[in-house]
Amino acid sequence: MSGFAVGDRVTTFDFKGSHAELRAVPAVQCWAIPAGWDSGVAATIPCGPGTVAHALKLADFEDGAGKTVLITGAGGGVGLVARAGARVIGTGTNHSSVDALRQYGLSDGIVTTGEPASEQVLDLFGGRKVDLLIDGVGGPALSDGLKTLRDGGKAVLIGVFGGWHEPLDAGFILRRCLSVIGCLLGVVVSEPANYRLIADLLKFAEQGRLYTPINAGFSFADVVAAYARA
């Protein structure tokens, strides 16, 4: 890939060397930072919003008008899903974090420390179920989230922080004609379609159509404190 020169400011996405002050990254995993942009803001685009955009593509959900989406561990992708026209329900572990997402397009917030998300979603919609689940937690959250899907609905798994080895009820998935899709953008990020996907997100952000707030900043020496805050 051409188009870069020594001294250009870029944002990257690569599994290796993320905790280094300097690293070598293939050009196909680099995107130019728009002039005047803060590099920290640009760095938020490929991984978070990029993963959710890829999840929507895998689920054939670019147009969500009139549809509903449940995002477990709701975060940076809320705005993208809302922009697709869908009603977005998000889960979190406390009211303050969930409420903070309303300004980015979250329609309904659910706190999961008491009652399971599936029961709250069904109560919220009077028994009606959602069209798409984007699960950023994995583990029991995935099993519970599948209960919220309508027949023929799709679940896209983008994270496994809640557990890698949660057993799934194959009979339930079969009877309900559900689709469970794994989404790991990092291994396919340099494919042309996915490269363009992130390039488009950067354009949207530059145009003010996508906003990625930064909650806090840390020096390289304070990486442990950063993980503790997360």
Side-chain angles (χ1 to χ4, degrees):
M1 172 176 288
S2 60
F4 293 114
V6 174
D8 285 351
R9 298 169 65 239
V10 299
T11 182
T12 72
F13 189 172
D14 187 65
F15 283 131
K16 298 178 180 178
S18 61
H19 288 66
E21 294 178 343
L22 296 173
R23 63 176 180 157
V25 180
V28 292
Q29 292 170 227
C30 297
W31 294 265
I33 297 177
W37 253 42
D38 177 83
S39 59
V41 173
T44 67
I45 301 294
C47 185
T51 294
V52 174
H54 185 46
L56 293 175
K57 184 180 73 171
L58 291 175
D60 296 320
F61 207 84
E62 282 84 356
D63 181 9
K67 298 179 181 179
T68 53
V69 179
L70 173 64
I71 305 179
T72 61
V78 168
L80 285 175
V81 181
R83 199 184 73 227
R87 179 175 178 176
V88 185
I89 309 112
T91 73
T93 56
N94 61 74
H95 290 283
S96 61
S97 63
V98 170
D99 289 342
L101 295 171
R102 294 184 184 279
Q103 61 183 309
Y104 306 113
L106 187 71
S107 303
D108 306 279
I110 290 174
V111 176
T112 57
T113 50
E115 188 179 7
S118 59
E119 295 180 12
Q120 296 185 62
V121 170
L122 295 178
D123 287 344
L124 181 65
F125 290 107
R128 184 168 61 88
K129 297 183 178 181
V130 304
D131 300 288
L132 174 65
L133 166 68
I134 298 178
D135 178 33
V137 181
L142 174 59
S143 297
D144 183 62
L146 291 176
K147 298 175 184 177
T148 71
L149 282 173
R150 63 168 176 79
D151 288 358
K154 297 179 180 180
V156 183
L157 178 64
I158 63 173
V160 288
F161 300 106
W164 285 77
H165 303 295
E166 175 72 9
L168 298 179
D169 186 339
F172 178 81
I173 294 171
L174 180 65
R175 291 192 304 272
R176 301 281 306 285
C177 298
L178 303 179
S179 299
V180 180
I181 305 167
C183 173
L184 188 61
L185 179 60
V187 298
V188 294
V189 70
S190 58
E191 293 180 1
N194 296 326
Y195 186 90
R196 290 193 299 270
L197 186 75
I198 293 178
D200 287 342
L201 292 178
L202 284 162
K203 289 180 182 177
F204 294 152
E206 187 179 13
Q207 296 165 357
R209 298 164 59 191
L210 172 64
Y211 179 58
T212 57
I214 295 177
N215 179 261
F218 296 85
S219 68
F220 185 77
D222 293 328
V223 64
V224 174
Y227 275 110
R229 184 181 179 93

